[in-house]
Amino acid sequence: MALSGMRGLSVFISDIRNCPNKEQERLRVDKELGNVRTRFKNEKGLTHYEKKKYVWKMLYIYMLGYDVDFGHMEAVSLISAPKYPEKQVGYIVTACLLNENHDFLRLAINTVRNDIIGRNETFQCLALTMVGNIGGREFAESLAPDVQKLIISSSCRPLVRKKAALCLLRLYRKNPDVVNVDGWADRMAQLLDERDLGVLTSSMSLLVALVSNNHEAYWSSLPKCVKILERLARNQDVPQEYTYYGIPSPWLQVKTMRALQYFPTIEDPNTRRSLFEVLQRILMGTDVVKNVNKNNASHAVLFEALALVMHLDAEKEMMSQCVALLGKFIAVREPNIRYLGLENMTRMLMVTDVQDIIKRHQAQIITSLKDPDISIRRRALDLLYGMCDVSNAKDIVEEILQYLSTAEFAMREELSLKAAILAEKFAPDLSWYVDVILQLIDKAGDFVSDDIWFRVVQFVTNNEDLQPYAAVKVKEYLDKPAIHETMVKVSAYILGEFGHLLSRRPGCGPKELFNIIHDKLPTVSTSTIPILLSTYAKILMHTQPPDPELQNQIWAIFSKYESCIDVEIQQRAAEYFALSRKGAALMDILAEMPKFPERQSSLIKKAEDAEVDTAEQSAIKLRTQQQMSNALVVTDQRPANGTPLVGQLSLVKVPSMTNNTDVNSADQGLTPENGALTTVDPPQPSADLLGDLLGPLAIEGPPTAIQSQQNIVSGLEGDHAVEATAIVPVDEPQNSVQPIGNIAERFHALCLKDSGVLYEDPHIQIGIKAEWRMYHGRLVLFLGNKNTTPLVSVQAIILPPSHLKIELSLVPETIPPRAQVQCPLEVVNLRPSRDVAVLDFSYKFGNNVANVKLRLPAVLNKFLQPISVSAEEFFPQWRSLSGPPLKLQEVVRGVKPLLLMEMANLFNSFRLIVCPGLDPNPNNLVASTTFFSESTQAMLCLVRIETDPADRTQLRVTIASGDPTLTFELKEFIKEQLVSIPSVPTAPRASPGQAPPAPPVAQPTSSAAALSDPGALLAGLL
């Protein structure tokens, strides 16, 4: 792509590279695009040189990331140019700018075909490259036969045939139903006799695609592939340019062995023997060396050879050699080689009679469990799980239990499940199985699912010999001062059913068992209390003759929980209380549970269905779950003499949109809003500094009188005062100039759309236009001067929250009359949060200084990308995200009454796409979206809304995602949008010297009061 002679293009590229910032680059690009567009309109006056130059510029602009939505016709027209420079530009730019469905491509099909069937090899290569890159259906229908002829043509140079093979491969992969390959078996066998390795490599790629769809037609190619491997293994007739670090064409070796794996077997003994000799040579000649590039190439060939050995079910001796070689790999220091060794050893477990050979490396595999790299630890765990049997189950399970204490949280659930499955499948005796599961619950209770302890209960119930042993073991765990709640569940159940078997042991009487179980009652959740109530009833039943003191204690507990709000607890307490008064009949009513019927293990079924999460989850500390957010606010606090002091800081607590809205409104008066300016009395000195720092924070009420020395614009947000959820400006003088329109309504409108007016007053209008892509945002502020005189001393300062990285370009100090200035703004979302950035904007008009603080619509939903999921994708993800903090649920009351369709539209406006048909209940909604941030990258979020048709003011929200902070923030964001927030009437301002206004009273506002508001009068005049 020689650019010599095109001075204009070189100058343009130089200008772009010399731009000091992104905005200057965009201005230069816009200028050049305008120039190119103007020149293309007068196309008749353009020479081929000029057209070529401008098309090159379009391509360069496109490569910089800018949209180029014109000039496509000019690029396509250059394909038919007679000279190489113009034709080259046309092919390259067309392949880059146009996709396979573009209408302009139809205009070029005949020209491309003429170049393919022509005699100019350079033009043939250009045409084949473009067709291969685009690969559209119309190209396949029109050009595939001509491309096939080029591949087998003896008059074409190898360069053209190589490109033709790759072009046909792309067309076949994209449109296998259009490209006709019937009868190509003999042609492929003929191509495999080619001596040129470039054509051979391209033809082998084509063969892999063909045999993957239909290997039966290409049996004649199998011996040819073996001969190619023999030629390469012996390094016969391999040009130097195809030798990579002493390895003859490793790419061709890998492709050939990949093609052989599509054939089920090799029946010819001579061919099979020749192939195994080649594989033996590869296995013997591969070792770990210091050169990284040579390692990569040789190991690519080796691992493909191992896959072929496993596919062909080679002799045991060769399989042993493969395992021994992998054993060397898992012992080296290089992590990539260790990973590949463990992964391939796991694959070899599928081959019969190899497991005993792999067991020789068990110690080294266990050592890999302690590797710093989590991906290696996962592969080692998979390998240990696959190689476990009765002979080594004890050692492997004990190692997993030992590793469980130090394993990161991302692996503990998988470790727990696999340890439980191995203990169940290969337990030498049931007592060992009970020991393992109890240790598992003790060490990783949070990650032990209910299925695991359910299974223990089944085994203990069905085996009478195991019942006393299990009861003794769980009592030992209950004697510990602190145990997990799952251990309380299984211990309470087993002692309730079989605790009477220990009655002759010291310290195991009914009263003692009741006391150690009852000590755990205050520490458990409501889901465990019903199990404890059943245990109390069982203990009471087995206490014969009855112990009056124990009976009264248990009856008191039943009586206490008869009024519990939880229906399950209430029902059990009432029924057990009534049943326990039946005396001897209680023995029959509360008899031991019968044996469970034999069934398939739910654990093993769960292991088969589970999708192993291979993504490493970083340990992110969950944000403090409080409804109030603390913000650091700069306050211009005034001393007694009225002289302003600049730079002092004060902490102000900003109310949330969902927490105690009416209380804040009543107690604190008017809450400051976006653009509204609130004055705060200077804090009094306090001796208790620690109490001041840690004590509760609140927004100070308005002062009794305000002395204003300057007129400063204040942005009032009308009735949505309680929705101020960002940095709040404090202690600003009041203004006579009011904004036009409701700032809060403008802000909320921009939260749903990407362009509009953010703020407007009689002197200036601030518009905004935004573009969001993943976790990046590009905003442009449009500052328009509405007056015939300039606005001076213009300043714009961004006060960003900690989760946003914001860069604002230079803002001019003066805005000319009747002019508009653009200020680009780059936003990067670092992590999930609902905090909002604030724009501190000020300007001077005449003798008046205007200052306003505005929330920027860079909110949480801007970084969402709606994605529709099917039932097959939704339910595995929903089940895998089990329980807090990854799945949070809350009942929300005070919801704005909405029909289901209206709620679905509201969700769609916030970039949460509703997925119909996933929830069988027609009154529920299921939605999904993808959240983007620099820390989480793309994170799938799932939402379920359960509504009550009888009461539309309450619903239950369940949010699930792979990041705990994101789950919490998205739940709170949805609550803020659903909760109906009461309005707060705006109190009239007190002028200097007047008494402060009375607290707001819930009365309708009269028209006279509205006319007395100077802001309303000014808005009416405008």
Side-chain angles (χ1 to χ4, degrees):
M1 192 189 301
L3 303 182
S4 58
M6 286 188 285
R7 184 174 177 275
L9 177 59
S10 301
V11 170
F12 172 62
I13 295 175
S14 178
D15 290 346
I16 292 293
R17 290 176 176 173
N18 293 330
C19 287
N21 52 48
K22 193 71 175 176
E23 179 55 28
Q24 294 295 326
E25 177 185 299
R26 177 175 283 275
L27 291 175
R28 182 67 180 89
V29 167
D30 290 343
K31 178 182 177 182
E32 194 63 38
L33 286 176
N35 180 43
V36 173
R37 192 190 299 269
T38 303
R39 298 305 300 269
F40 279 167
K41 287 182 179 178
N42 188 20
E43 188 178 356
K44 294 181 180 179
L46 285 180
T47 64
H48 283 298
Y49 164 78
E50 291 176 321
K51 187 183 293 187
K52 176 183 67 173
K53 179 176 68 174
Y54 293 135
V55 171
W56 273 133
K57 289 184 178 181
M58 286 169 45
L59 178 60
Y60 183 70
I61 292 171
Y62 176 78
M63 291 167 61
L64 291 176
Y66 298 94
D67 291 333
V68 179
D69 54 0
F70 69 94
H72 299 162
M73 188 63 194
E74 285 75 10
V76 172
S77 65
L78 284 175
I79 294 177
S80 58
K83 295 182 179 180
Y84 171 76
E86 289 81 11
K87 189 179 286 287
Q88 178 201 30
V89 178
Y91 275 120
I92 293 176
V93 177
T94 301
C96 292
L97 296 186
L98 306 186
N99 60 31
E100 59 185 74
N101 299 318
H102 205 286
D103 294 336
F104 284 170
L105 288 178
R106 298 175 185 170
L107 305 177
I109 288 181
N110 287 333
T111 304
V112 173
R113 184 174 183 275
N114 291 334
D115 286 340
I116 289 177
I117 63 178
R119 307 302 299 172
N120 190 318
E121 294 177 350
T122 306
F123 291 175
Q124 286 178 320
C125 291
L126 286 174
L128 291 171
T129 302
M130 189 200 74
V131 173
N133 282 330
I134 295 178
R137 188 176 187 86
E138 293 188 4
F139 276 168
E141 293 173 347
S142 305
L143 305 176
D146 298 315
V147 176
Q148 290 174 338
K149 292 177 182 177
L150 281 182
I151 298 175
I152 59 176
S153 173
S154 59
S155 60
C156 289
R157 288 178 58 195
L159 175 64
V160 178
R161 298 175 61 200
K162 177 174 66 173
K163 288 186 175 291
L166 293 177
C167 179
L168 184 63
L169 171 63
R170 176 65 188 277
L171 294 177
Y172 180 72
R173 283 177 175 170
K174 291 279 291 182
N175 312 282
D177 56 325
V178 174
V179 179
N180 183 14
V181 292
D182 295 339
W184 258 72
D186 296 335
R187 296 178 182 178
M188 284 307 305
Q190 179 183 349
L191 284 173
L192 296 182
D193 290 329
E194 179 66 40
R195 304 308 298 173
D196 185 273
L197 289 189
V199 178
L200 196 55
T201 305
S202 302
S203 302
M204 192 60 68
S205 299
L206 180 59
L207 178 65
V208 171
L210 294 174
V211 297
S212 64
N213 287 341
N214 179 22
H215 70 275
E216 293 290 342
Y218 297 93
W219 279 103
S220 58
S221 300
L222 192 149
K224 301 289 181 70
C225 292
V226 176
K227 288 183 179 180
I228 293 172
L229 282 178
E230 284 185 295
R231 171 188 170 188
L232 296 175
R234 294 172 182 169
N235 203 358
Q236 293 178 347
D237 193 19
V238 179
Q240 184 64 32
E241 59 267 21
Y242 286 95
T243 302
Y244 184 78
Y245 285 91
I247 304 171
S249 189
W251 308 276
L252 181 56
Q253 292 189 55
V254 169
K255 291 177 186 293
T256 306
M257 288 187 281
R258 182 75 53 82
L260 288 173
Q261 292 175 49
Y262 286 104
F263 295 96
T265 184
I266 299 177
E267 298 176 354
D268 183 45
N270 294 327
T271 304
R272 185 179 178 88
R273 183 176 61 253
S274 301
L275 179 58
F276 280 128
E277 288 177 359
V278 173
L279 295 176
Q280 183 74 26
R281 186 187 295 266
I282 293 174
L283 296 177
M284 293 293 293
T286 304
D287 205 349
V288 180
V289 295
K290 291 185 178 180
N291 191 301
V292 177
N293 294 322
K294 185 172 182 179
N295 267 341
N296 292 338
S298 61
H299 292 153
V301 176
L302 171 66
F303 290 126
E304 203 64 48
L306 289 175
L308 184 56
V309 169
M310 287 186 282
H311 173 73
L312 297 176
D313 198 11
E315 291 80 2
K316 188 173 182 179
E317 183 180 352
M318 181 172 283
M319 299 301 294
S320 303
Q321 186 179 351
C322 293
V323 175
L325 187 60
L326 292 175
K328 289 182 182 180
F329 284 176
I330 64 176
V332 300
R333 295 179 57 184
E334 174 61 36
N336 292 328
I337 298 177
R338 280 207 312 279
Y339 179 90
L340 292 171
L342 291 168
E343 185 180 39
N344 281 273
M345 200 174 278
T346 305
R347 291 177 182 173
M348 294 200 74
L349 288 172
M350 297 182 294
V351 182
T352 56
D353 301 331
V354 176
Q355 192 164 356
D356 292 336
I357 308 173
I358 295 178
K359 286 180 186 177
R360 300 171 190 170
H361 305 278
Q362 180 173 317
Q364 185 62 45
I365 298 169
I366 290 174
T367 305
S368 298
L369 271 181
K370 303 175 179 63
D371 194 276
D373 192 332
I374 189 174
S375 58
I376 293 179
R377 295 197 297 272
R378 286 186 181 277
R379 296 290 75 79
L381 178 62
D382 292 341
L383 181 53
L384 286 174
Y385 178 75
M387 64 186 283
C388 186
D389 59 14
V390 179
S391 63
N392 60 358
K394 276 192 173 183
D395 297 334
I396 291 179
V397 172
E398 287 175 4
E399 287 292 339
I400 292 177
L401 289 176
Q402 184 178 353
Y403 173 57
L404 192 59
S405 303
T406 58
E408 54 275 272
F409 292 104
M411 287 186 64
R412 288 194 179 184
E413 184 174 0
E414 184 183 352
L415 282 166
S416 304
L417 179 62
K418 290 187 173 179
I421 293 172
L422 294 179
E424 180 179 340
K425 289 174 67 176
F426 306 113
D429 56 79
L430 292 178
S431 60
W432 178 81
Y433 170 72
V434 172
D435 289 340
V436 169
I437 301 302
L438 293 181
Q439 288 183 57
L440 200 61
I441 297 173
D442 185 46
K443 293 184 177 183
D446 287 331
F447 303 93
V448 175
S449 63
D450 289 341
D451 292 332
I452 294 177
W453 77 268
F454 288 172
R455 193 64 174 164
V456 175
V457 168
Q458 293 175 20
F459 273 112
V460 174
T461 304
N462 291 2
N463 295 272
E464 295 181 1
D465 297 338
L466 190 61
Q467 293 166 2
Y469 179 81
V472 171
K473 296 301 291 185
V474 297
K475 182 182 178 299
E476 292 176 1
Y477 281 101
L478 280 179
D479 287 334
K480 293 183 177 182
I483 59 174
H484 194 270
E485 186 171 346
T486 305
M487 183 66 76
V488 176
K489 292 179 182 179
V490 66
S491 302
Y493 185 93
I494 292 177
L495 288 179
E497 291 290 333
F498 313 112
H500 63 282
L501 302 176
L502 309 179
S503 58
R504 296 183 181 180
R505 293 174 179 259
C508 296
K511 187 175 294 186
E512 288 81 0
L513 292 181
F514 167 76
N515 287 333
I516 62 173
I517 295 174
H518 189 57
D519 287 343
K520 308 299 179 185
L521 180 63
T523 65
V524 300
S525 62
T526 54
S527 62
T528 308
I529 294 178
I531 300 177
L532 298 185
L533 295 179
S534 301
T535 302
Y536 299 158
K538 292 277 187 176
I539 292 175
L540 196 61
M541 179 265 293
H542 286 299
T543 307
Q544 297 296 335
D547 184 339
E549 182 183 354
L550 178 61
Q551 191 177 56
N552 291 333
Q553 280 184 287
I554 296 177
W555 282 356
I557 296 171
F558 289 160
S559 177
K560 171 186 174 183
Y561 283 105
E562 276 185 323
S563 58
C564 180
I565 192 172
D566 188 278
V567 177
E568 175 72 15
I569 297 174
Q570 182 189 99
Q571 182 177 354
R572 289 206 188 198
E575 291 177 355
Y576 289 150
F577 189 48
L579 290 173
S580 61
R581 295 176 178 273
K582 293 190 177 291
L586 190 63
M587 294 288 292
D588 297 329
I589 298 172
L590 295 178
E592 286 186 10
M593 290 290 291
K595 291 185 178 182
F596 291 92
E598 293 297 329
R599 67 185 76 172
Q600 181 189 4
S601 171
S602 58
L603 289 179
I604 298 176
K605 186 176 184 301
K606 183 177 181 180
E608 294 171 353
D609 298 340
E611 297 179 1
V612 179
D613 179 18
T614 57
E616 179 178 4
Q617 293 190 3
S618 57
I620 299 177
K621 188 175 181 180
L622 187 61
R623 165 185 173 162
T624 305
Q625 298 190 6
Q626 55 180 6
Q627 301 298 322
M628 306 291 286
S629 63
N630 294 334
L632 190 63
V633 184
V634 179
T635 65
D636 296 336
Q637 299 173 352
R638 307 176 195 280
N641 58 10
T643 305
L645 298 176
V646 182
Q648 299 183 9
L649 298 179
S650 170
L651 277 175
V652 176
K653 175 155 284 189
V654 185
S656 169
M657 298 170 70
T658 60
N659 186 45
N660 300 332
T661 307
D662 50 351
V663 176
N664 291 336
S665 303
D667 294 347
Q668 300 173 1
L670 293 180
T671 307
E673 307 176 17
N674 180 30
L677 307 174
T678 305
T679 57
V680 176
D681 289 330
Q684 299 297 325
S686 173
D688 186 9
L689 296 179
L690 188 63
D692 289 348
L693 289 174
L694 300 181
L697 305 173
I699 297 181
E700 300 290 340
T704 56
I706 301 172
Q707 297 182 355
S708 175
Q709 299 178 354
Q710 293 179 329
N711 292 328
I712 301 196
V713 176
S714 92
L716 291 176
E717 290 191 357
D719 295 339
H720 297 278
V722 294
E723 296 184 0
T725 58
I727 302 176
V728 177
V730 295
D731 202 30
E732 299 277 359
Q734 295 189 7
N735 310 283
S736 60
V737 179
Q738 300 295 322
I740 299 174
N742 190 311
I743 300 179
E745 292 177 358
R746 294 186 189 275
F747 170 75
H748 290 298
L750 286 171
C751 290
L752 301 180
K753 59 183 182 179
D754 293 331
S755 61
V757 177
L758 181 65
Y759 172 82
E760 186 174 7
D761 63 37
H763 308 301
I764 194 170
Q765 182 186 73
I766 302 178
I768 197 167
K769 185 175 182 181
E771 179 182 1
W772 308 93
R773 182 172 300 174
M774 296 194 297
Y775 56 87
H776 292 279
R778 180 180 175 83
L779 291 79
V780 179
L781 297 176
F782 296 89
L783 311 178
N785 184 359
K786 300 164 62 175
N787 299 306
T788 56
T789 56
L791 300 178
V792 296
S793 300
V794 178
Q795 287 187 350
I797 302 174
I798 299 295
L799 307 176
S802 59
H803 75 285
L804 293 179
K805 184 167 67 175
I806 301 180
E807 294 181 6
L808 176 64
S809 63
L810 188 64
V811 178
E813 292 188 0
T814 302
I815 303 179
R818 300 290 183 182
Q820 186 183 75
V821 176
Q822 298 183 17
C823 301
L825 194 68
E826 299 289 339
V827 180
V828 177
N829 185 27
L830 304 178
R831 57 185 178 276
S833 176
R834 289 171 295 125
D835 294 338
V836 185
V838 173
L839 171 66
D840 186 354
F841 185 79
S842 62
Y843 65 91
K844 191 174 182 180
F845 177 72
N847 295 324
N848 297 330
V849 175
N851 178 261
V852 65
K853 293 178 175 61
L854 305 165
R855 287 177 291 171
L856 290 177
V859 290
L860 182 73
N861 63 294
K862 297 295 185 181
F863 304 103
L864 299 178
Q865 182 65 42
I867 179 173
S868 181
V869 295
S870 62
E872 293 78 14
E873 298 169 321
F874 178 88
F875 290 108
Q877 289 285 343
W878 187 261
R879 286 192 293 265
S880 66
L881 301 170
S882 57
L886 300 182
K887 181 185 288 185
L888 297 178
Q889 189 176 85
E890 184 174 349
V891 175
V892 183
R893 294 178 174 85
V895 176
K896 292 179 284 191
L898 294 174
L899 296 177
L900 208 60
M901 184 58 66
E902 295 174 339
M903 189 176 295
N905 293 335
L906 178 66
F907 272 53
N908 290 332
S909 67
F910 285 104
R911 307 188 182 190
L912 290 157
I913 187 168
V914 175
C915 306
L918 292 184
D919 197 314
N921 190 337
N923 296 314
N924 297 347
L925 286 180
V926 173
S928 61
T929 188
T930 304
F931 176 82
F932 290 93
S933 73
E934 200 173 62
S935 63
T936 62
Q937 296 298 319
M939 182 68 68
L940 179 65
C941 306
L942 305 176
V943 181
R944 186 182 186 212
I945 305 293
E946 298 168 85
T947 66
D948 183 4
D951 185 6
R952 291 287 183 185
T953 63
Q954 65 176 359
L955 49 80
R956 182 163 66 179
V957 181
T958 308
I959 311 291
S961 78
D963 182 82
T965 306
L966 173 58
T967 304
F968 172 74
E969 294 290 349
L970 186 59
K971 175 178 75 72
E972 295 301 315
F973 175 81
I974 292 177
K975 279 174 53 182
E976 291 172 356
Q977 312 311 319
L978 295 177
V979 171
S980 177
I981 301 176
S983 339
V984 180
T986 305
R989 294 182 171 180
S991 57
Q994 288 183 344
V1001 182
Q1003 294 178 354
T1005 306
S1006 64
S1007 58
L1011 292 175
S1012 65
D1013 184 4
L1017 288 172
L1018 184 60
L1021 292 173
L1022 292 174

